[in-house]
Amino acid sequence: MPPKVVATDLDGTLLRQDGTVSDRTRRVLRRLDDAGVRVVFVTARPPRWLAELADVAGSHGTAICMNGAAVYDFATATMTDVRGFAVDALGALVADLRAAIPGVALAVERLDGPVYDPTFATEHPVPADLMRRYIEESLSPDPAHTVGKLLAVLDGVAPAEFFARVEATVGTRAVLAYSGAVGLAEMTAPSVTKAAALARWCESHDVAPQDVWAFGDMPNDLPMLGWAGRGVAVANAHPDVLAAADAVTASNVDDGVAAHLERLLP
């Protein structure tokens, strides 16, 4: 039976290495949309990096973003089902990270945009007019300032050691995820994952897990692939994802998601 919903990660899975969508993938997404199969993008990306994909979102127009912290609607550029950090809890977490890991640089992805520590280095473009300030100054109970993700980096320490130190510090106060950016620790509020957000969205649309096919490449996709009726890894996926998936398709460079779905279509 074909799925009712296709849930796919973006970077490293649906998108090519340069972040573009191939013509083949565009055609398959349009055909799925025409056939009534809902496609939901499920991504670590913040909402500010989603507008550029509006032309391939189809009439469904839905993305679960920030590793499950919110559901983004392409038509209105608004977010629902927001599951961010509580302000006091986040403040305590930030203080503990600074005390336990000297030199750590932090950033937050708020609903209204990012805030970076002055020392936070990122490979992604940062708007020239973006104010850099220590993130403690940006924490606010205003719903528009809700923090969906907390990010941490540390120069001069091996990624595995850094992740272990972050994990030991945050414990159960945050979900620590790895989405492929080397040395970047990404944290969401307790119990906030791609899988949890997708499950809520599907329940609200009367879709059972067995009617969902999910695609991914990184460890932060594992709970989602395990929850869905069919979990598919692209060939370039992390070894843990390849081992856990129900099936493996071609790499993102070779349009693996499109190749796996084409057989569903007339």
Side-chain angles (χ1 to χ4, degrees), residues 50-112:
L50 292 174
E52 63 195 63
L53 296 170
D55 63 323
V56 295
S59 62
H60 69 278
T62 302
I64 292 168
C65 61
M66 295 187 288
N67 280 333
V71 176
Y72 178 86
D73 178 79
F74 281 91
T76 61
T78 57
M79 282 164 283
T80 57
D81 194 23
V82 176
R83 306 288 174 117
F85 284 97
V87 175
D88 290 346
L90 181 57
L93 191 60
V94 167
D96 288 349
L97 283 167
R98 294 208 192 277
I101 310 175
V104 69
L106 304 173
V108 289
E109 286 287 356
R110 306 192 315 188
L111 296 190
D112 60 344

Side-chain angles (χ1 to χ4, degrees), residues 97 100-101 154 157-171 176 183-185:
L97 283 167
I101 310 175
L154 181 65
V157 177
E161 178 186 344
F162 176 53
F163 268 65
R165 293 171 67 181
V166 171
E167 186 172 27
T169 303
V170 303
L176 176 62
L184 177 66

Side-chain angles (χ1 to χ4, degrees), residues 27-262:
R27 288 193 299 270
V28 168
L29 292 177
R30 282 196 298 268
R31 290 167 67 192
L32 287 171
D33 203 47
D34 291 344
V37 177
R38 295 287 297 265
V39 180
V40 179
F41 300 147
V42 189
T43 179
R45 285 189 176 209
R48 61 195 171 93
W49 290 347
L50 292 174
E52 63 195 63
L53 296 170
D55 63 323
V56 295
S59 62
H60 69 278
T62 302
I64 292 168
C65 61
M66 295 187 288
N67 280 333
V71 176
Y72 178 86
D73 178 79
F74 281 91
T76 61
T78 57
M79 282 164 283
T80 57
D81 194 23
V82 176
R83 306 288 174 117
F85 284 97
V87 175
D88 290 346
L90 181 57
L93 191 60
V94 167
D96 288 349
L97 283 167
R98 294 208 192 277
I101 310 175
V104 69
L106 304 173
V108 289
E109 286 287 356
R110 306 192 315 188
L111 296 190
D112 60 344
V115 178
Y116 297 97
D117 274 357
T119 56
F120 190 93
T122 173
E123 63 185 26
H124 300 293
V126 176
D129 60 348
L130 182 69
M131 188 186 338
R132 283 179 174 261
R133 55 186 176 179
Y134 287 103
I135 63 170
E136 291 88 336
E137 302 171 27
S138 72
L139 304 184
S140 163
D142 185 335
H145 299 161
T146 298
V147 172
K149 282 205 306 183
L150 171 64
L151 311 174
V153 294
L154 181 65
D155 288 338
V157 177
E161 178 186 344
F162 176 53
F163 268 65
R165 293 171 67 181
V166 171
E167 186 172 27
T169 303
V170 303
T172 60
R173 295 180 293 168
V175 176
L176 176 62
Y178 177 56
S179 61
V182 177
L184 177 66
E186 301 180 58
M187 289 159 275
T188 51
S191 77
V192 173
T193 65
K194 289 183 175 185
L198 178 61
R200 288 193 302 271
W201 185 91
C202 287
E203 182 178 7
S204 70
H205 289 79
D206 297 318
V207 176
Q210 60 265 30
D211 293 321
V212 180
W213 285 15
F215 295 80
D217 71 317
M218 282 292 161
N220 64 324
D221 296 317
L222 279 169
M224 175 177 73
L225 299 187
W227 175 85
R230 184 174 181 83
V232 183
V234 286
N236 54 288
H238 187 281
D240 291 349
V241 179
L242 292 171
D246 298 316
V248 177
T249 186
S251 73
N252 65 323
V253 173
D254 294 320
D255 303 326
V257 175
H260 198 81
L261 292 170
E262 280 170 339

